[in-house]
Each structure stands twice: as C-alpha cells, then as structure tokens.
Amino acid sequence: AFDIRLKLTKEVLTIQKQDVVCVSGSNHSTNVHLLRNAGDEVTITVQYLREAPSFLKLPLGSPGPSSDHSSGASSPLFDSGLHLNGNSSNTAPSSPSSPIANEPKYEKRWLDTLSVPLSMARISRYKAGTDKLRSNAFEVLALDGVSTGIIQFYTSQESADWLRAVSTNIGDLTLQNMKMANKCCSPCDQVVHMGWVNERIQGIDSSQPYKYKFLALKGSSFYIFSTPPVSTLDWVRAEKIYNLCEVLFKVHKLWLADDCWLQANFYLGLHQDYDLEDQRPYCFSVMVGQGKSHFFNVELGSELAVWEKSFQRAIFMEVQRTGSKTYMCSWQGEALCFTVDFALGFTCFDSKTKNVLWRFKFSQLKGSSDDGKTRVKLLFQNLDTKQIEMKELEFQDLTAILHCIHSFIAAKVASVDPMFIDSQSIARRYMYSN
C-alpha cells in the first residue's frame, strides 16, 4: 500500500507517494505504533494477491491507459507511459491484429512523484459533467492540461486549508504574470485582472454544461479566451472582445452546497437566487450588447469578490480615460447623436447641423424606461421649472447604450463618494475567513 503526501512551494504543487506497511486487521496508526516499538530488526511477511496483476496490466494492443481526464493521466502518480515485462519504454510497439496468450502484456508505470506548475493553473472541485461538489477533495490542472488527479483529504478543515493555500499561490503567480504583461503595455492598456472561470454553455443539452474559460480585463476591453494569452499576439486571438463601457457585471448567486467545510470557511449568508437553473455557487454574469450575456461560475467566494471589484475598477478607469461616448440614434424620423459625457452629462444634437437640442447633468436624470427593443424614455428634471421632461430616443443597440449610461453614472458616483461603491458590493461583504 502507499500513502500520498503533498508539498506546496510558491510555484509548484508536488504529489509524492510514500510506502506504507500494513498489518492485517489493523489500521495505519496501529501499524506505525508496532513498527516504532518492534526493535532493531523487523520481519515482514507479505501475502501475494493474485487479483492485483489484472488491475495493473493493460490489454494487449492498448494504445495507452484509459482515462477520463483531459490530461490523459489516470492517476496523479501515473506518467501515462507503458513498459513491457518491467522494462521502461515510453513508446508502445504496434500490436498484432490477433492477441497471442504467450506474448507479454503492457503494464502501467507508476511514479513516486508528480509536480504540477501553478502558473496559470486552475482548480476544480466539481465532479465531471455535474454541478455536484466533491466532498473534501479537489483537482489542480496545469496550463498544459496535466492534472494532479482528484486529491482526497481526511477532514474538511484540511481540504479547506490546502484549497486556500493552492488558490493563493495561483493568484500570486497570476499577479506576477500581469505585472510582466503590463511592462509591455501603454498606461492606458494595462491588465487589471485575469483568471480562470467556468462558463455555462447556453442553449444546448450537453453532458458538459460548463466549459473552462480564461477572462481578462485589459485597457478598454473585456476578453474571453479558451486558453490564457501567453504572448502579445494571443490578445488578438480572443474568442470574444467587448468594450468595458458597454458591459454590465452582475452577481447572480451566492449559494452553498451541503459541504460543512464550505459552510465553515466560505459562508456568505445570502439567499438563493432561484431563477437560475444550475446548482453552482459563486455565479456572476456579464451582460453585453444586443441583449446577450455570458454566465460564469468561480470556485471560491473570494474569487467572486475579486472579479466584482476588478470589473468595477476596470470600467471606472475606462470611463475616465474615454471621457465621453457618442451613439447614433433617431426620433420621429430625424437622425440624432446622443452623447454621454463624464463631465457634462447627457447631450443630444442634430447629426447634420450639430446643433444641440438639449443637455442635462447626471443629477437631473430622475428615471428611465425602455421597451426592451430599441426605444428608451429618459426623465429629466428641469432646474428652472422643476418640472419633469421626457426625452424619447431610438437606438440600434439599446442594451449597449443602457450599460454605457450605467457605467458613466456609477463612475461619477464613485468619483464623488468612493465608499459608496464598496457599500453596494455584494460579494466583498462576505469574504471567507480563517
């Protein structure tokens, strides 16, 4: 038998196999006690188990060990190589069309140590293809897909401690990568935050309802990648790129499963959001133009809090850098331009003559409504008459305009009262503690 030992350094998680001597009918603690008090010489009798070879050997002609992990490793201590009759060989010879009983068979080769680099690595606590959390266990996957396998712990506290430690190291290494990337970027194109999430695949009935995605907030844009960007050229190869002024971040659900260690270490204390179909905690969405949205889930409550803060910071920085956004619109057949300005507020002018039709400050906006398609009604208070004036406009992409208005107003409030945004934050109120 063997036991597993974990060793965590700043950049690497190491898994090591250690042999354990077992005495029939006794547990590990008893075995250790017997060995410590056995004297200078110990005689060990080993019983041969005939069923063991059938488990360790592979069928003749098998191209490699079976696995359900994307990394191709069926065990954290299995190097996915094969050896013949005890002789190491990483390349399996071609097998004959019909097996011969007397020919040797391929066997798995087990390793004593496996090291997984933590830079750009990700953590998974879910059973494959489900929304169910593993009990006192998690998996670490490196950037190249190599997996530790499922690491099971004896107690919930031990699992939580290791999960927190590994997550912290991954976060520190990600911060280092951001700093290196920012050295090559202009001050207006800095990386604010990036990291792994799970994206819910919408509109399809799949056994894999979530897929790993790598998100980044950089300069004026929100990026969605299938794999992390490791070079400058990778930034233009993102799956999706959105303007930060036109997205809306929303915390959807802070919900806990029936894991006592989760409740002890990551308790958030909020009600469930029952309008969501999945059963995963720590969910958020990013709503974009044309009424579309992306729905994400993260592994820890602390990650959700960081994403909420990072989106707010990135959006506010982009609003202040941009200063104003102008959109084409129309009303009653006339082509107009609508401008949201960080300093001036709202302005509407004729697209041909450039004559200003009306202008209001942010503080004069008292309400709004829309038809969910193209038309929006803005209610402003006239400072002279104290009367409410309604301005109605039509836009091609109404959602983007509404998100932009929200971004500018939130940034304006944050510039006046920075503490207001913190007081409105949902996830940051409930950071996990020791």
Side-chain angles (χ1 to χ4, degrees):
F2 61 87
D3 207 354
I4 299 295
R5 294 291 183 266
L6 300 182
K7 180 181 179 181
L8 177 65
T9 61
K10 185 174 183 180
E11 298 185 358
V12 176
L13 175 65
T14 302
I15 303 178
Q16 187 172 19
K17 183 192 81 172
Q18 294 188 351
D19 294 329
V20 177
V21 178
C22 296
V23 179
S24 177
S26 62
N27 56 32
H28 175 73
S29 300
T30 304
N31 297 337
V32 173
H33 177 74
L34 289 173
L35 288 175
R36 286 178 176 175
N37 297 278
D40 296 333
E41 295 185 5
V42 177
T43 301
I44 300 177
T45 303
V46 180
Q47 183 178 4
Y48 177 69
L49 182 63
R50 292 185 177 277
E51 287 78 8
S54 63
F55 170 76
L56 295 175
K57 291 183 178 181
L58 291 174
L60 181 64
S62 174
S66 61
S67 171
D68 57 355
H69 293 289
S70 60
S71 63
S74 61
S75 166
L77 301 181
F78 177 48
D79 69 347
S80 73
L82 302 174
H83 71 125
L84 191 61
N85 285 343
N87 298 322
S88 296
S89 174
N90 288 330
T91 305
S94 58
S95 59
S97 57
S98 59
I100 301 176
N102 294 331
E103 288 196 3
K105 295 183 178 182
Y106 296 109
E107 299 177 357
K108 295 180 180 181
R109 185 177 67 187
W110 297 85
L111 301 177
D112 290 331
T113 304
L114 173 68
S115 295
V116 177
L118 296 179
S119 179
M120 296 295 189
R122 62 182 186 265
I123 298 174
S124 176
R125 296 186 292 122
Y126 291 92
K127 296 180 181 179
T130 71
D131 289 328
K132 295 183 178 180
L133 289 166
R134 297 184 182 276
S135 178
N136 302 345
F138 62 86
E139 178 183 16
V140 181
L141 298 99
L143 177 60
D144 59 0
V146 174
S147 169
T148 60
I150 306 303
I151 307 174
Q152 186 77 39
F153 297 88
Y154 291 106
T155 65
S156 58
Q157 186 61 53
E158 188 179 19
S159 178
D161 291 342
W162 273 101
L163 179 63
R164 184 184 299 111
V166 173
S167 176
T168 299
N169 280 25
I170 292 175
D172 291 342
L173 292 172
T174 301
L175 184 59
Q176 291 183 13
N177 290 329
M178 288 168 49
K179 291 180 178 179
M180 293 178 60
N182 286 338
K183 290 181 179 179
C184 304
C185 301
S186 63
C188 62
D189 198 31
Q190 299 285 291
V191 180
V192 175
H193 187 59
M194 60 184 184
W196 285 102
V197 299
N198 302 296
E199 181 177 15
R200 188 175 68 187
I201 307 303
Q202 302 179 0
I204 61 173
D205 184 13
S206 172
S207 60
Q208 297 290 339
Y210 278 83
K211 285 189 177 181
Y212 285 113
K213 297 293 181 181
F214 193 86
L215 307 186
L217 305 174
K218 180 175 181 289
S220 63
S221 303
F222 163 52
Y223 296 82
I224 301 178
F225 296 92
S226 56
T227 58
V230 295
S231 67
T232 304
L233 294 177
D234 290 339
W235 288 96
V236 299
R237 299 170 182 169
E239 292 183 354
K240 300 287 184 181
I241 303 177
Y242 300 104
N243 186 283
L244 280 170
C245 289
E246 297 177 353
V247 303
L248 182 64
F249 178 94
K250 181 182 178 182
V251 175
H252 268 273
K253 184 170 58 173
L254 296 149
W255 173 82
L256 295 174
D258 296 330
D259 289 76
C260 61
W261 70 276
L262 277 174
Q263 295 180 9
N265 294 277
F266 304 99
Y267 179 69
L268 299 179
L270 296 183
H271 296 291
Q272 292 190 34
D273 190 349
Y274 289 100
D275 63 331
L276 300 177
E277 297 178 358
D278 66 282
Q279 296 298 313
R280 295 194 176 199
Y282 317 129
C283 301
F284 68 91
S285 69
V286 180
M287 291 174 276
V288 297
Q290 303 294 344
K292 299 178 181 178
S293 64
H294 295 271
F295 187 85
F296 303 106
N297 150 260
V298 289
E299 298 288 336
L300 304 175
S302 58
E303 293 180 313
L304 180 60
V306 171
W307 276 114
E308 183 184 28
K309 180 179 180 179
S310 299
F311 262 93
Q312 289 177 349
R313 181 187 172 201
I315 291 173
F316 297 166
M317 290 171 59
E318 177 56 21
V319 168
Q320 293 177 341
R321 279 195 301 263
T322 304
S324 66
K325 295 278 288 184
T326 300
Y327 298 91
M328 295 296 297
C329 61
S330 64
W331 179 241
Q332 295 181 346
E334 294 185 17
L336 307 175
C337 290
F338 176 74
T339 298
V340 187
D341 190 281
F342 186 71
L344 302 177
F346 307 99
T347 303
C348 185
F349 58 91
D350 189 282
S351 61
K352 296 179 181 179
T353 64
K354 308 301 180 184
N355 293 330
V356 175
L357 303 179
W358 48 263
R359 177 179 285 127
F360 295 96
K361 298 178 180 180
F362 288 112
S363 59
Q364 292 179 264
L365 180 64
K366 300 303 179 182
S368 66
S369 62
D370 63 86
D371 62 357
K373 298 178 181 178
T374 61
R375 186 174 299 183
V376 61
K377 296 179 180 179
L378 302 174
L379 304 178
F380 298 100
Q381 184 180 44
N382 189 303
L383 295 180
D384 297 328
T385 63
K386 305 300 180 182
Q387 298 297 314
I388 299 297
E389 298 182 12
M390 183 185 71
K391 305 298 182 182
E392 195 166 356
L393 300 171
E394 291 185 359
F395 296 91
Q396 186 175 3
D397 188 352
L398 178 62
T399 306
I401 310 302
L402 297 178
H403 292 170
C404 182
I405 293 175
H406 178 275
S407 297
F408 272 75
I409 292 178
K412 192 69 175 181
V413 173
S415 66
V416 176
D417 182 10
M419 298 302 296
F420 173 78
I421 298 301
D422 287 338
S423 67
Q424 298 302 306
S425 173
I426 297 176
R428 270 180 285 166
R429 303 179 202 169
Y430 304 97
M431 294 287 287
Y432 68 83
S433 65
N434 292 327

